[in-house]
Amino acid sequence: MYEILWLTFVAVLWGGTNPFIKKGGAGIEEIKERNAIRQFLAELKFLFFNWKYLIPFLLNQCGSVLYYLTLATMDLSLAVPVTNSLTFLFTLVSGKFLGEDVGGKETYLGMLLVLSGVCLCMSDRS
């Protein structure tokens, strides 16, 4: 039972940070250098010293570590669909919070169907 809570927390960390990573990384396409190595280093510097990108990225990576640890005690056939589908939902909610256009009625119907599927997967394993 606790594994489901940990997987939900992983989905919150992944999905909740995705729009913030996207927003924090805005402007990286403006960086132009003479060769590929200098371009890579300039982009790396831009991301590393940009707290609006770095903090959500680090939280996202904490979710990856937690996911890895949770997989040791969890059935893989349940962990993957639950985490990925809930990540999708939390990404939409976070994106809406940031003012992104997440779609109309079809999106909300899809969210409801995904949530119903997750509940069915969890009830089948209980």
Side-chain angles (χ1 to χ4, degrees), residues 72-100:
T73 60
M74 190 71 183
D75 183 15
L76 195 61
S77 65
L78 179 64
V80 173
V82 166
T83 307
N84 289 340
S85 58
L86 290 178
T87 297
F88 170 71
L89 292 179
F90 288 118
T91 299
L92 285 174
V93 170
S94 298
K96 183 71 171 173
F97 176 75
L98 288 177
E100 294 179 4

Side-chain angles (χ1 to χ4, degrees), residues 22-37:
K22 179 181 173 185
K23 189 173 183 176
I28 197 168
E29 58 276 344
E30 308 290 324
I31 298 173
K32 303 288 183 217
E33 289 293 331
R34 288 176 274 160
N35 63 41
I37 294 172

Side-chain angles (χ1 to χ4, degrees), residues 2 5 21 40 52 65-67 73 88 96 111:
Y2 291 113
L5 294 175
I21 290 172
F40 173 74
K52 292 180 182 177
V65 170
L66 183 60
Y67 182 65
T73 60
F88 170 71
K96 183 71 171 173
M111 289 172 67

Side-chain angles (χ1 to χ4, degrees), residues 33-49:
E33 289 293 331
R34 288 176 274 160
N35 63 41
I37 294 172
R38 291 178 64 93
Q39 179 73 27
F40 173 74
L41 292 174
E43 290 175 0
L44 195 61
K45 179 183 172 187
F46 172 82
L47 294 175
F48 186 74
F49 290 108

Side-chain angles (χ1 to χ4, degrees), residues 2-23:
Y2 291 113
E3 290 90 2
I4 296 293
L5 294 175
W6 286 118
L7 291 176
T8 303
F9 188 58
V10 168
V12 167
L13 287 173
W14 282 351
T17 57
N18 284 339
F20 288 97
I21 290 172
K22 179 181 173 185
K23 189 173 183 176

